[in-house]
Amino acid sequence: MITHNAVNTAQCYFWLYKEENFPAEIPSVLIFATEGDTIHVSLTNRLDEPHAWAIPGVVDSGPVPPGETARFSFTAPRPGSYLYFDNLNEPVNRMMGLHGAMVVMPAAPQPGHRFTPYADPTPAVQRLFDDFGTAAHFPG
């Protein structure tokens, strides 16, 4: 984070996961997938200590030494939203910016309904998604 004024020139540095085709941002790249998709990750550590990439209960790259690249794949889990982050030196690495979100959509919507990013949405949540773009209170 950098301020752009003459009065306050403070700078705050972040670490981040960056996809080479997108600008750097915190939180890092949003991953969208469909349940059962194979997701491929190539993680190059450009920092000066080991770092990792993990989604608890789904995937863990393990420590990646400085200058090294880890390549791994995993299957998109059950529909929902997940936090990926560096699980080493917790919570410092995550707080320094090494985190992002993954949203997993179901392969098909519930019969007679629209898609939601949940495997078993409550009736209220399903109604909310069904109404998006179709009701006066949720215009297209």
Side-chain angles (χ1 to χ4, degrees):
M1 178 174 78
I2 301 173
T3 61
H4 296 287
N5 64 55
V7 176
N8 184 354
T9 59
Q11 295 185 6
C12 178
Y13 295 93
F14 290 97
W15 297 333
L16 57 99
Y17 296 114
K18 184 181 179 318
E19 205 285 335
E20 63 188 33
N21 296 310
F22 296 102
E25 58 188 8
I26 301 289
S28 295
V29 177
L30 180 58
I31 300 170
F32 281 100
T34 298
E35 182 178 20
D37 282 353
T38 300
I39 299 169
H40 304 281
V41 177
S42 178
L43 176 66
T44 301
N45 182 356
R46 294 194 172 107
L47 296 170
D48 59 1
E49 59 188 32
H51 288 280
W53 195 96
I55 299 173
V58 178
V59 63
D60 187 337
S61 69
V64 179
E68 298 286 321
T69 298
R71 290 179 178 80
F72 52 95
S73 300
F74 64 97
T75 301
R78 187 182 158 107
S81 55
Y82 299 83
L83 177 68
Y84 65 85
F85 59 95
D86 183 345
N87 59 354
L88 303 178
N89 193 27
E90 289 193 78
V92 174
N93 293 347
R94 184 180 72 246
M95 298 305 293
M96 286 296 296
L98 292 175
H99 65 275
M102 178 176 76
V103 175
V104 179
M105 297 294 288
Q110 298 288 330
H113 294 284
R114 291 180 146 194
F115 274 105
T116 72
Y118 305 99
D120 299 309
T122 66
V125 168
Q126 184 63 66
R127 173 76 189 272
L128 178 69
F129 279 85
D130 288 346
D131 285 352
F132 282 148
T134 62
H137 54 278
F138 289 123

